[in-house]
Amino acid sequence: MDSEMNEQVTATDSKPGAAVEQGSLPPLCVDLDGTLIKSDLLIESFLRFVKLNPLHFFWVLVWLYRGKAHLKYKLAAQNWLSPELIPYNQEVVTYLRAQKKACPERAIILCTASNERLARQVAEYVGVFDEVIASNEHDNIMGSAKAKILTDRFGHGGFDYIGNDWNDWKVWSNARQVLVATQSDRFLRQTQQRFTIDRIFREQAPSPREYLKALRVHQWTKNALLFIPFLLEQRFDDVGGWITLFFCFISFSLLASATYIWNDLLDLDSDRVNIIKKKRAFASGRIPLLTGIKMMIGLVAISVLIFMFLPPAFAGVALLYTVITLAYSFKLKKVPILDVCLLASLYTLRIIAGMLAVSAAWSFWLLAFSMFFFLSLALAKRVSELKNLEKRELNQASGRGYVTSDLDLLQMLGVVSGFVSVLVVALYINSDKVASMYAVKEVLWLLCPVLLFWVGRIWMVTSRGKMHEDPIVFAIRDRVSLQTILICGVIVAAAMSANFL
């Protein structure tokens, strides 16, 4: 029975004709997920499959019902891995190559709970493995199952093993040498209490700053748009309104962070080929994918809890925001022009949410300005991405519907949209409503040249290829942009000044 099981789960070979022989050193067995690579192939396969169609999630549940091995087999059959894009643990890879060079006759075996189809692709790409032992349709090779296979084949203490997980304790109990790849101080400490560790491949744990970057906390500045309708109505003494908007801001920000994480998880491959986005926490493997999923679920749960104490209309807009964001992440980001219109609408939805949260009056002028202004910034984002592709002599971004020949058209649309937003401001200043709200409405005309300058400067920076791929990030860090915001604030305050006398 044992020999039949071994025949089922052992897949050879990334090097045809290679055999595992006992040389001067015992076989070196290496785990895959979290050890050789800084990712998890099961989660990556799941994300790729669900990205094709959200309804695929129900197929995942059906396959999981038949067992984890069956789920891995089915997901592997639906995915064709790009092993060159996966983030590898370079210290482990370097060690394996050094071992192969120093002792060519020593067998190096990839022994993993991932499906054999995906494991072979990784083994072939790395190029140092003599054999692959991996899960198949019926057997999930992890923990005690992996320990039994290796011990039956090589004997107790007849192999060395590199692992990273609590399940690997069962394998290390039968290994000659314990080699640990980890970024967790807690796991390393507890493993050292149980085993004598022969080598540690130490990955630095993610810092709090990296987690904040994964949450895109800097993007929370966008949610300040919630306050705009409230401020334009000059309800500065409405304490209840301030408190409501504060909790709206927190809940919306947490929800937005959850959608950013989900978008990053779905975009792993396209981010990894982007010169800037490949450094993101999940694409680079700095933060485990499973941790990202847990973070996303936790953020949604907290956000929903806060929504229960806020106006239902606000929660409804937040739900609409989430639906549009998910649709954008799954499919619509690939549709040219529609994608930037959706990005602009997400900004405008924040303003609408702010109106509904405090029962502010609807403003045609504000919504029109928002759509044109943020459409201009969304187009700047796409132009910046295409400029970076052009520098690298590439034609099309992965996962996008644009090519570099679209640059002239997108720049024209972006500039026009930006200047139309300033025209909307000019028309608003001339409206009757403004005359009743501002003591010296003529001062507001100074906003127009200031905004014209800023829009023109943004597009000059973009056309020169110096724009960050996210204009909001650029504006936060750009001294001139911050000064422009301050000047606009002073102008508005001056126009209102008589109302406070």
Side-chain angles (χ1 to χ4, degrees):
M1 178 67 73
D2 290 342
S3 62
E4 291 177 359
M5 182 179 179
N6 286 345
E7 288 176 2
Q8 286 181 339
V9 300
T10 304
T12 59
D13 185 339
S14 55
K15 295 184 179 178
V20 177
E21 299 178 358
Q22 291 284 6
S24 57
L25 290 173
L28 175 58
C29 302
V30 186
D31 184 35
L32 177 59
D33 299 313
T35 301
L36 179 67
I37 66 173
K38 296 187 286 186
S39 188
D40 187 305
L41 293 188
L42 173 59
I43 298 178
E44 290 214 12
S45 299
F46 164 74
L47 293 171
R48 287 192 187 93
F49 187 55
V50 173
K51 184 177 181 178
L52 294 174
N53 188 335
L55 296 179
H56 284 170
F57 179 76
F58 296 103
W59 278 112
V60 171
L61 295 178
V62 172
W63 295 337
L64 181 60
Y65 179 76
R66 298 184 58 182
K68 201 169 181 179
H70 183 76
L71 171 63
K72 292 178 181 179
Y73 171 79
K74 284 294 190 180
L75 286 175
Q78 304 296 325
N79 285 272
W80 188 254
L81 190 65
S82 299
E84 70 279 2
L85 297 181
I86 295 174
Y88 290 86
N89 188 327
Q90 290 302 323
E91 187 180 0
V92 173
V93 173
T94 300
Y95 174 77
L96 295 178
R97 289 175 176 164
Q99 289 292 305
K100 179 59 70 176
K101 183 177 181 180
C103 188
E105 69 277 8
R106 185 185 194 187
I108 300 181
I109 302 171
L110 184 61
C111 188
T112 174
S114 289
N115 183 265
E116 57 189 7
R117 177 176 179 176
L118 303 182
R120 283 198 198 101
Q121 293 179 53
V122 173
E124 290 171 3
Y125 177 76
V126 176
V128 300
F129 295 102
D130 299 287
E131 184 180 351
V132 174
I133 300 175
S135 298
N136 58 28
E137 185 177 2
H138 308 290
D139 302 291
N140 188 34
I141 311 307
M142 69 181 298
S144 56
K146 183 186 292 188
K148 183 176 185 343
I149 291 170
L150 295 179
T151 305
D152 288 351
R153 184 166 177 181
F154 304 115
H156 185 82
F159 62 94
D160 299 340
Y161 182 72
I162 310 177
N164 75 297
D165 191 67
W166 310 101
N167 288 308
D168 293 321
W169 280 9
K170 299 172 183 178
V171 184
W172 282 322
S173 296
N174 297 279
R176 182 188 74 115
Q177 285 193 345
V178 174
L179 300 92
V180 181
T182 186
Q183 59 176 208
S184 170
D185 292 331
R186 177 170 170 263
F187 174 75
L188 182 60
R189 185 169 56 253
Q190 294 190 13
T191 303
Q192 286 174 326
Q193 292 172 357
R194 189 179 180 111
F195 303 99
T196 299
I197 299 179
D198 297 279
R199 176 155 184 156
I200 300 172
F201 302 93
R202 193 73 170 92
E203 270 287 307
Q204 186 177 6
S207 65
R209 184 170 181 268
E210 288 178 288
Y211 280 106
L212 292 177
K213 288 184 69 175
L215 293 175
R216 312 270 189 92
V217 172
H218 63 277
Q219 299 280 16
W220 289 11
T221 55
K222 298 176 182 178
N223 299 324
L225 293 171
L226 292 167
F227 293 87
I228 296 298
F230 184 75
L231 294 175
L232 288 180
E233 289 195 348
Q234 303 178 20
R235 293 163 57 178
F236 304 109
D237 57 349
D238 184 353
V239 177
W242 284 109
I243 294 174
T244 298
L245 284 172
F246 171 77
F247 284 104
C248 287
F249 176 85
I250 296 299
S251 61
F252 213 100
S253 296
L254 295 177
L255 183 63
S257 288
T259 62
Y260 292 140
I261 290 175
W262 182 241
N263 187 64
D264 285 352
L265 293 175
L266 292 181
D267 275 355
L268 291 175
D269 285 345
S270 56
D271 283 353
R272 286 167 181 167
V273 298
N274 185 289
I275 193 169
I276 294 176
K277 296 178 181 179
K278 68 181 181 180
K279 298 177 183 179
R280 286 179 173 175
F282 302 112
S284 65
R286 288 291 299 141
I287 298 179
L289 301 182
L290 183 58
T291 300
I293 292 175
K294 291 177 180 178
M295 290 167 60
M296 180 181 65
I297 294 173
L299 291 168
V300 171
I302 297 172
S303 187
V304 169
L305 181 62
I306 299 175
F307 284 152
M308 295 174 64
F309 300 94
L310 296 174
F314 172 81
V317 175
L319 177 61
L320 178 60
Y321 171 91
T322 304
V323 170
I324 294 176
T325 302
L326 292 177
Y328 174 84
S329 298
F330 279 110
K331 291 288 184 184
L332 300 182
K333 67 166 59 177
K334 299 178 182 179
V335 183
I337 304 302
L338 177 60
D339 66 326
V340 290
C341 291
L342 286 176
L343 287 177
S345 70
L346 291 176
Y347 287 101
T348 305
L349 276 177
R350 290 173 167 92
I351 294 176
I352 293 174
M355 291 178 180
L356 295 174
V358 293
S359 301
W362 284 73
S363 171
F364 162 80
W365 299 108
L366 179 58
L367 298 180
F369 169 80
S370 174
M371 279 302 300
F372 285 113
F373 182 77
F374 290 113
L375 177 61
S376 181
L377 293 186
L379 287 163
K381 179 181 177 70
R382 291 292 173 261
V383 169
S384 176
E385 292 171 351
L386 291 175
K387 285 285 186 179
N388 287 333
L389 285 177
E390 196 174 48
K391 292 176 184 177
R392 297 161 58 197
E393 299 182 350
L394 298 175
N395 183 54
Q396 185 170 14
S398 175
R400 302 294 183 190
Y402 299 99
V403 294
T404 51
S405 58
D406 296 328
L407 272 170
D408 290 341
L409 173 64
L410 295 180
Q411 288 183 108
M412 179 190 70
L413 293 174
V415 172
V416 170
S417 182
F419 285 153
V420 168
S421 70
V422 181
L423 176 61
V424 171
V425 173
L427 294 173
Y428 168 70
I429 294 171
N430 198 46
S431 67
D432 295 336
K433 183 177 181 180
V434 170
S436 63
M437 293 178 62
Y438 294 89
V440 191
K441 77 168 189 176
E442 290 77 12
V443 175
L444 293 175
W445 282 104
L446 294 175
L447 289 172
C448 294
V450 173
L451 291 174
L452 287 172
F453 160 76
W454 189 82
V455 170
R457 181 174 179 274
I458 282 291
W459 277 101
M460 179 174 289
V461 171
T462 302
S463 66
R464 291 177 177 178
K466 297 180 180 180
M467 172 62 66
H468 188 284
E469 288 196 2
D470 188 337
I472 298 297
V473 174
F474 173 83
I476 293 172
R477 298 174 180 174
D478 178 47
R479 185 175 63 181
V480 174
S481 296
L482 295 176
Q483 290 172 344
T484 301
I485 294 173
L486 178 61
I487 291 171
C488 289
V490 170
I491 291 172
V492 173
M496 295 167 49
S497 60
N499 292 343
F500 295 98
L501 296 179

